[in-house]
Amino acid sequence: MLQVSGKHWQKSMHKGRSSQMELLDGEAVAVVYFRAGYAPTDYPSESEWKARLLIEESSAVKCPSISYHLTGTKKVQQELAKPKVLERFLENKDDIAKLRECFAGLWSLDDSDAVEDAIRQPGAYVMKPQREGGGNNIYGDDVKETLLRLQKDGSEEEAAYILMQRIFPTVFPTILVRDGIAYKEHAISELGIFSAYLRNKETVISNEQCGYLMRTKVSSSNEGGVAAGFAVLDSLYLT
C-alpha cells in the first residue's frame, strides 16, 4: 500500500508505470491511500495534477477514487437536494422521503432568491466551500459581506461556495476534558455515519454502513472539526 501524504505526494508517484500498474521501487502498487490531496494547497503545480491523473488511470485501488472524492463535496450534496435527483439513485419512495426529511436547505449561488434572503438574514445561513476538515465555513455577518463582495466583483469565485440553511442543534450541559482538566460547558453534538464502498468499474462489490462518529463541541463555536481542534470525540447514550 502507498500512502500519499505531504512531500511524499509528488515524489512517489513518478516512478513509472507498466500496463496501467503503478510501480514504486520495482514493486506493484495495489492500494493508494490519500492522506493528502484534499486541499488546493496540495496541488501547487501541474506536477501534482499529473500525479493524481497517473494514479486514477492505474489499476491500483484508490482510497478514495476521484469520483468518490468528488461525491463528498458540498456541491454534490447541494445537487442531490434538488427535486427528482434522488430518484436517479433510489427506487423506494418511502426511502426517498425519509432521506429528504434529513436534508437541510442547500442552494448554489446562482439562485438569486436564496442569495438575497441570505443577505437579509445572514444568521440563518452558512456559506460552505468545497473543503473538508473544518475551519473553512463562513457564518453570521461574514455571509452577508462575502455575498455582497462576490456580487460586486462578478468573479467566478462564487462557484466555489454553496449556501446551506444553518442548523441549530439542541444545547445541553456537559463535562469536557482537555489537557487532563475537566470543566463544565454548554455543548452541541453532530452525528456522522461511516460507510464502506468498493467497486470494480460498474460492478459494486460492497456498499454498507460500518459505524459512526459523534463530535461534540462548545455551543459558542461555529466550526466543528475534530482534527482542526474545534470538537472532541464523543459516544452515543440512548435513553
Side-chain angles (χ1 to χ4, degrees), residues 61 78 83 196 202 222 238:
V61 175
Q78 177 248 307
E202 301 303 317
N222 283 326
L238 303 178

Side-chain angles (χ1 to χ4, degrees), residues 119-185:
I119 291 174
R120 283 195 302 268
Q121 46 177 355
Y125 293 86
V126 181
M127 282 184 69
K128 293 190 171 186
Q130 314 306 310
R131 301 286 301 276
E132 295 295 335
N136 303 296
N137 297 335
I138 300 174
Y139 297 89
D141 289 338
D142 289 339
V143 171
K144 177 180 178 179
E145 293 175 8
T146 303
L147 289 173
L148 290 174
R149 177 181 62 80
L150 291 175
Q151 286 182 340
K152 181 180 179 181
D153 294 346
S155 67
E156 296 181 351
E157 185 185 349
E158 65 178 23
Y161 295 93
I162 68 162
L163 271 175
M164 190 184 101
Q165 170 193 359
R166 186 165 184 177
I167 300 171
F168 296 95
T170 301
V171 178
F172 57 90
T174 190
I175 296 176
L176 299 175
V177 179
R178 190 180 295 274
D179 296 328
I181 301 173
Y183 55 97
K184 294 181 180 180
E185 276 285 1

Side-chain angles (χ1 to χ4, degrees), residues 206-219:
S206 177
N207 183 11
E208 58 190 51
Q209 177 273 130
C210 55
Y212 72 90
L213 174 71
M214 177 63 78
R215 295 182 295 185
T216 295
K217 64 177 183 178
V218 294
S219 58

Side-chain angles (χ1 to χ4, degrees), residues 52-125:
R52 185 67 186 261
L53 178 61
L54 190 68
I55 295 170
E56 292 302 320
E57 292 180 336
S58 77
S59 59
V61 175
K62 276 77 70 173
C63 183
S65 65
I66 190 63
S67 57
Y68 201 61
H69 183 169
L70 293 174
T71 298
T73 63
K74 306 302 185 296
K75 185 62 180 177
V76 170
Q77 294 172 20
Q78 177 248 307
E79 289 294 318
L80 286 173
K82 287 184 175 180
K84 299 183 179 180
V85 174
L86 282 180
E87 284 78 358
R88 293 177 53 193
F89 307 99
L90 297 171
E91 296 179 357
N92 188 294
K93 292 183 179 180
D94 289 338
D95 289 342
I96 293 172
K98 289 177 182 177
L99 274 176
R100 286 214 170 99
E101 286 180 1
C102 300
F103 285 0
L106 296 159
W107 303 271
S108 65
L109 296 195
D110 58 12
D111 188 321
S112 58
D113 291 337
V115 170
E116 289 176 8
D117 193 56
I119 291 174
R120 283 195 302 268
Q121 46 177 355
Y125 293 86

